[in-house]
Amino acid sequence: MKIAFDAKRYYHNNTGLGNYSRTLVGNMQTFFPENEYVLYDESSLRRTFCLGNKAKKDGCDLFHGLSNELPVDIKIPSVVTIHDVCWRTFPEMYHFFDRHIYDLKYGSSCKRADKIIAISESTKRDIMDYYGVKEEKIEVIYQPVQEYYYTPLAENEAMSEHTSMKVGGKVRVGDDDFIPMAHFGHDFEQRGGDDGRNTFQHSGSTMAQFSRSVKRVGASLLPKARIACTMRA
């Protein structure tokens, strides 16, 4: 079987949807090496309006939209992965026009796909509730875990139960207790509590700072999948 993937996130996102895309494609290559995999990296307009027809012309048997959407001109059997519908469940977090664009693009993809992959039971229920999709059309398949996380740490890298990740300093919650923590934001203010413990006030969410105990996932850790054909605009 020749399977096409919308690989925008595969190539251009270092976290989140990018990790999902790379891990899934890598696992497919590992466990189903008999298939041929085609990764399309197209401009925004082409991936929305032309990619379906291109995949058909290239002889693909199945198209998988890895990040919530399918091209409007899809002409072969298709699968779309829906990660969430937060623009519906938390509309206050999105601008007015963004909500309506997502609704149009992703809602339409749910209706046109032959099969939908939801990453959780919660997402499955939301797809059914907000877009009227029948339950039998949706499969819940949890997100894959990167091979990196199965690799044991060397003894000198392992954290003891009393060691904290350092993100701008140790995080004290009691007299002798420390908890691991990752700080997302640009302003994290430490304040003294009435009981002598430290409390923290967070403001903003513009950047992520991680402990040096946590190894970065970069290009060198991408799955070493042997892709039969990579299509780039």
Side-chain angles (χ1 to χ4, degrees):
M1 179 180 289
K2 190 172 183 178
I3 304 175
F5 293 97
D6 175 3
K8 176 183 178 180
R9 308 295 182 183
Y10 182 106
Y11 287 114
H12 302 291
N13 283 57
N14 293 325
T15 59
L17 297 176
N19 285 339
Y20 171 80
S21 300
R22 289 184 291 270
T23 305
L24 185 145
V25 173
N27 286 344
M28 290 290 290
Q29 177 63 27
T30 298
F31 296 107
F32 303 96
E34 68 277 9
N35 294 327
E36 183 178 353
Y37 302 98
V38 184
L39 303 182
Y40 290 100
D41 182 17
E42 302 285 333
S43 66
S44 295
L45 286 176
R46 289 183 61 83
R47 71 188 283 261
T48 298
F49 296 104
C50 305
L51 189 50
N53 190 52
K54 184 173 184 179
K56 182 179 180 180
K57 287 183 178 179
D58 290 338
C60 297
D61 302 298
L62 178 67
F63 188 97
H64 188 169
L66 293 166
S67 52
N68 291 357
E69 62 183 300
L70 294 172
V72 298
D73 64 334
I74 193 71
K75 299 181 185 299
I76 59 176
S78 60
V79 176
V80 65
T81 297
I82 301 295
H83 297 267
D84 60 62
V85 293
C86 284
W87 56 93
R88 281 295 196 107
T89 54
F90 299 101
E92 67 279 3
M93 297 176 63
Y94 293 82
H95 295 298
F96 175 84
F97 289 109
D98 288 341
R99 293 201 308 269
H100 285 76
I101 289 172
Y102 296 156
D103 233 8
L104 179 63
K105 291 172 63 176
Y106 304 156
S108 173
S109 295
C110 286
K111 294 173 182 176
R112 291 182 290 110
D114 294 288
K115 204 73 175 178
I116 298 171
I117 295 174
I119 66 160
S120 68
E121 291 289 346
S122 177
T123 297
K124 176 183 175 179
R125 290 192 299 271
D126 288 341
I127 295 169
M128 294 168 61
D129 291 343
Y130 289 111
Y131 296 116
V133 178
K134 294 182 179 179
E135 184 174 9
E136 56 267 25
K137 187 177 178 178
I138 308 171
E139 293 288 341
V140 175
I141 302 177
Y142 298 106
Q143 292 177 316
V145 177
Q146 292 173 285
E147 184 179 356
Y148 167 77
Y149 293 102
Y150 291 106
T151 305
L153 291 174
E155 184 175 352
N156 62 345
E157 294 180 297
M159 293 170 54
S160 73
E161 61 180 324
H162 297 297
T163 302
S164 126
M165 296 182 185
K166 290 186 178 180
V167 183
K170 291 183 178 179
V171 183
R172 180 177 293 276
V173 292
D175 293 336
D176 300 307
D177 300 318
F178 294 92
I179 58 172
M181 176 181 171
H183 166 209
F184 292 82
H186 63 274
D187 182 11
F188 200 75
E189 181 180 355
Q190 180 176 343
R191 294 183 175 182
D194 294 336
D195 59 358
R197 299 184 179 188
N198 289 328
T199 59
F200 295 84
Q201 180 177 350
H202 167 265
S203 173
S205 56
T206 59
M207 63 179 289
Q209 298 174 332
F210 294 96
S211 160
R212 57 173 175 260
S213 301
V214 180
K215 296 181 179 178
R216 289 193 61 178
V217 177
S220 61
L221 293 172
L222 300 185
K224 298 178 181 179
R226 294 168 296 158
I227 306 302
C229 181
T230 298
M231 310 294 290
R232 289 187 138 175

